[in-house]
Amino acid sequence: MTERVYHTSFDTDDADPSKKIVSISEFSGKKKISERKLKVLDVSDIYQRIDEGKQLCFENCYIKDFSLDQYRNLRGLEKGKKIVIEGIQATNAFFDCDAEINFSYAQIQGDVCFKGSIFTHGTLSFNYSDITSDTVDYSECRFHSHQSHFEHADFKAERINFEHAMFHSETVSFVNGTFHAKETNFRRVNFGKSRVRFQFAEFSDGDKIFERIRVMGSVFDFRRVIFNAGKVDFRRSLFSDCYVTFEEIHVSSGKFTFRNAHIEGEDMTFRRAEFGTADVSFDQTDFSNRSVTFEGCKADAISISDAFIRGTLDLRIKRVHLLDLSQTYLYGITDLKFEDRKSLEKLSLRGVRNLGKIIIDWRENSVQKLIEHAGGTDEQLAEQFNILKANFSDNGQYTDEDSAYVCFKRYEHRVMRKRYLHKSANWKKPFVHFAFFCRLLIFDKAGVYATSPARVLVSMLITISFFAALYVVLHYTGAGEIVNAVNASDKLNIVDKSFYHSAITFFTIGYGDYYPISFSRLVSAIEGWTGVFMMSYFTVAFVRKILR
């Protein structure tokens, strides 16, 4: 933003030589932007109107060194005494000074309009002013004062309007200000390179609009601001190379949105912010800054979907019902390792592009429940668990990777089954159900997709027992038998023989002291193939664990 420079030259009014006029030329660099003529208003005349209790009219006027502190000194009033002003009409006025433009401790009532006014040089102070009006209008004002202070100012109006104002000040301060209005409008305000401070300010219920503001200074400070109920709108705003803090703010209900905003440069913090039941949205926001933190914050729902996070994202929240990161690009570290399981109830990672590192603990943070409680189709759930599987693998969290992998495969199984059923004719559907039941039994129930050697071992023992029981049944039905080939004298009963034969057949040992006949031969062949498969399954699962 190019600094505007104003050159002034004084003359007299041709129609009335007793009246002075001033020619104001505005330059951007060396280029002349505009020129206009204003009548010169002497501050002594303004002070006289204050004495008379009349409205101050500065429209299209040039005022030099207006100061209520000077007025108090001239009238012998104590410092800080409230000065009652019956309204101000200052449209397109030009306030000039050598040191200070001072409206501090004013009690302004009636119409208050500074629309299009320019404040230059020195310090502008509205500190401790009480302004009561239907509309308080600072729209399109340009603040070139070295310091622009509205600290402890109390605005009471239907509408407070700073729309399209421009600040070229070193500091813009609304610290401890109160805004009692149905709408407080800072839309399209250009704060330039000013340090902007709103800490400890309080807004009443209603709309707080900061849409499309521009901030390029070193600090944008909203610490401990009370927004109460209503809409807080920072959509499409630009924060460039500045430290942005909303630490410990309080929003009771309504909306709090940074949708389509662009934040770059330094850190941004919402540490210990309380959003109440407000709908918190950072959708489509581009975070190109170093870090964003929501540590210790409380909210009903926070949405950071379809956004770009290029730095560190700290989501160690205190209490949030739903956290939505769907379709977001994560380029840095995303910290989701909150301490209390009850801190978060639902987590959505649909369509996340994780190009960095997500820090979260599967068991301590109950990740499976968080994802499932957020809802979605089986395909969407499978995708999210697959994202976490890849992340845990990169992080070296292999136990957590296995857990995420199992959830991914289970939902993938459901998706595949539904697709096959949808494509199949009615007469084929029972076969499809049976095929997927066998698939579920073998890959999931028997070995948890090769992630649990212990489960495979237990499944092997169950399989041996099942076949042993089958041999016993065949014996008593006369459909099959286990025969002693060497006239052994161990006198094993049918149960013992069945378990023994089942074990050596399963492990493909084949001593030959007992052999099957009739239907037991077919059962033995099936068991031998099953044993080879299960032993291979166990080897894969066991080696997978050992190599990690």
Side-chain angles (χ1 to χ4, degrees):
M1 179 179 61
T2 305
E3 176 72 35
R4 294 306 201 259
V5 177
Y6 297 92
H7 292 168
T8 58
S9 59
F10 293 89
D11 204 346
T12 56
D13 190 341
D14 293 337
D16 188 351
S18 63
K19 293 182 178 180
K20 288 185 178 181
I21 61 172
V22 61
S23 179
I24 309 291
S25 299
E26 181 181 3
F27 291 84
S28 176
K30 294 183 179 180
K31 184 179 180 180
K32 188 175 182 179
I33 303 299
S34 65
E35 182 177 3
R36 56 176 170 157
K37 295 183 183 296
L38 304 174
K39 64 180 179 181
V40 178
L41 195 60
D42 193 273
V43 292
S44 61
D45 295 335
I46 298 172
Y47 297 159
Q48 181 65 36
R49 292 186 70 85
I50 295 175
D51 291 337
E52 295 171 358
K54 295 180 179 180
Q55 183 186 63
L56 304 185
C57 185
F58 304 149
E59 289 184 286
N60 298 301
C61 290
Y62 173 88
I63 306 98
K64 180 70 179 290
D65 293 327
F66 176 85
S67 172
L68 289 183
D69 279 350
Q70 182 188 50
Y71 173 82
R72 292 184 187 90
N73 289 334
L74 291 173
R75 300 299 188 266
L77 302 175
E78 62 183 31
K79 185 178 180 180
K81 179 178 176 57
K82 290 284 186 179
I83 304 300
V84 177
I85 299 176
E86 297 295 334
I88 298 177
Q89 285 292 339
T91 305
N92 296 319
F94 192 99
F95 292 86
D96 198 2
C97 71
D98 294 324
E100 183 180 45
I101 301 168
N102 189 298
F103 285 87
S104 60
Y105 291 96
Q107 185 174 325
I108 308 171
Q109 52 199 25
D111 295 334
V112 179
C113 181
F114 288 91
K115 182 176 182 178
S117 292
I118 298 170
F119 301 86
T120 65
H121 307 123
T123 298
L124 169 65
S125 176
F126 278 85
N127 291 347
Y128 293 95
S129 293
D130 296 335
I131 303 175
T132 305
S133 177
D134 289 337
T135 300
V136 177
D137 193 354
Y138 288 89
S139 63
E140 300 179 29
C141 285
R142 276 170 277 183
F143 298 88
H144 295 268
S145 307
H146 181 64
Q147 306 283 342
S148 296
H149 288 166
F150 296 81
E151 296 181 4
H152 296 274
D154 186 4
F155 297 93
K156 296 185 181 73
E158 288 288 313
R159 189 168 188 260
I160 301 168
N161 187 18
F162 279 83
E163 184 168 352
H164 245 303
M166 295 177 65
F167 288 89
H168 297 268
S169 308
E170 182 177 305
T171 301
V172 177
S173 179
F174 288 86
V175 174
N176 283 300
T178 53
F179 300 83
H180 301 282
K182 291 182 178 178
E183 179 182 283
T184 302
N185 182 18
F186 281 83
R187 183 185 284 112
R188 293 180 180 271
V189 170
N190 194 333
F191 288 102
K193 296 183 178 180
S194 307
R195 292 193 298 270
V196 182
R197 303 184 185 279
F198 275 79
Q199 61 262 42
F200 305 105
E202 181 175 356
F203 295 82
S204 63
D205 296 349
D207 294 340
K208 282 72 69 173
I209 302 173
F210 294 84
E211 183 182 353
R212 297 195 180 194
I213 64 171
R214 296 291 181 267
V215 183
M216 288 168 279
S218 59
V219 175
F220 190 77
D221 192 345
F222 269 71
R223 283 176 296 164
R224 299 186 181 181
V225 169
I226 299 174
F227 287 103
N228 287 305
K231 179 171 67 174
V232 183
D233 188 354
F234 283 89
R235 286 179 300 164
R236 300 181 182 274
S237 294
L238 170 65
F239 300 87
S240 179
D241 298 322
C242 62
Y243 172 69
V244 182
T245 174
F246 287 83
E247 188 170 323
E248 297 185 33
I249 63 169
H250 182 272
V251 183
S252 58
S253 61
K255 286 187 176 181
F256 187 94
T257 178
F258 269 78
R259 187 179 179 89
N260 287 113
H262 185 88
I263 299 101
E264 59 184 32
E266 302 298 322
D267 300 339
M268 185 178 196
T269 176
F270 292 87
R271 186 177 286 111
R272 294 186 293 278
E274 296 193 15
F275 293 104
T277 59
D279 181 12
V280 183
S281 173
F282 293 86
D283 297 345
Q284 300 178 15
T285 296
D286 188 350
F287 294 95
S288 298
N289 54 335
R290 292 191 310 188
S291 71
V292 185
T293 177
F294 291 87
E295 180 191 353
C297 83
K298 298 178 181 178
D300 185 54
I302 298 178
S303 177
I304 316 177
S305 67
D306 204 15
F308 290 84
I309 315 290
R310 292 180 170 84
T312 300
L313 177 59
D314 187 347
L315 291 169
R316 293 175 294 164
I317 44 87
K318 182 72 173 178
R319 191 82 70 240
V320 174
H321 179 67
L322 169 64
L323 179 59
D324 185 2
L325 295 172
S326 58
Q327 308 301 326
T328 289
Y329 284 78
L330 303 174
Y331 290 90
I333 295 175
T334 304
D335 193 348
L336 276 160
K337 198 172 182 180
F338 37 86
E339 295 182 1
D340 187 354
R341 288 190 179 188
K342 296 180 180 179
S343 295
L344 184 62
E345 294 182 29
K346 300 178 181 179
L347 172 64
S348 178
L349 298 174
R350 302 175 195 171
V352 164
R353 306 296 189 269
N354 181 28
L355 305 175
K357 181 178 181 180
I358 299 175
I359 300 175
I360 193 169
D361 190 281
W362 182 269
R363 287 171 178 78
E364 288 184 8
N365 300 128
S366 302
V367 176
Q368 182 178 349
K369 290 182 179 179
L370 296 181
I371 299 295
E372 291 176 340
H373 287 176
T377 64
D378 290 338
E379 191 168 7
Q380 290 171 339
L381 292 170
E383 175 198 24
Q384 293 177 74
F385 287 122
N386 196 30
I387 291 168
L388 288 169
K389 169 196 167 295
N391 175 74
F392 290 139
S393 178
D394 293 340
N395 295 353
Q397 296 172 255
Y398 298 121
T399 301
D400 291 349
E401 180 197 356
D402 286 347
S403 299
Y405 174 69
V406 170
C407 288
F408 160 64
K409 295 300 290 184
R410 285 173 177 170
Y411 279 102
E412 183 187 53
H413 173 88
R414 294 184 186 181
V415 172
M416 291 175 62
R417 184 171 62 87
K418 288 178 181 178
R419 287 178 181 173
Y420 275 97
L421 287 171
H422 180 70
K423 294 178 182 179
S424 300
N426 289 335
W427 68 270
K428 290 183 180 180
K429 289 183 179 181
F431 298 100
V432 173
H433 281 295
F434 178 75
F436 275 93
F437 170 76
C438 294
R439 189 177 186 273
L440 180 67
L441 185 66
I442 295 169
F443 293 112
D444 189 352
K445 304 304 180 183
V448 199
Y449 295 98
T451 61
S452 175
R455 175 71 73 86
V456 180
L457 186 60
V458 171
S459 298
M460 290 167 67
L461 296 174
I462 292 173
T463 303
I464 291 170
S465 301
F466 170 76
F467 278 101
L470 195 55
Y471 294 132
V472 172
V473 172
L474 290 173
H475 167 77
Y476 283 111
T477 58
E481 187 63 79
I482 306 299
V483 179
N484 187 336
V486 293
N487 296 318
S489 59
D490 48 19
K491 297 180 180 179
L492 297 178
N493 60 37
I494 184 58
V495 175
D496 296 335
K497 284 192 299 181
S498 296
F499 269 98
Y500 173 72
H501 176 72
S502 180
I504 63 174
T505 303
F506 184 91
F507 292 112
T508 65
I509 296 173
Y511 288 128
D513 49 349
Y514 286 92
Y515 65 91
I517 61 173
S518 191
F519 282 107
S520 294
R521 289 178 177 176
L522 177 61
V523 175
S524 297
I526 295 172
E527 183 177 12
W529 182 87
T530 304
V532 171
F533 175 81
M534 294 293 287
M535 284 188 289
S536 300
Y537 200 1
F538 175 79
T539 302
V540 170
F542 185 74
V543 171
R544 189 168 180 269
K545 287 288 184 182
I546 292 298
L547 290 179
R548 290 182 169 186

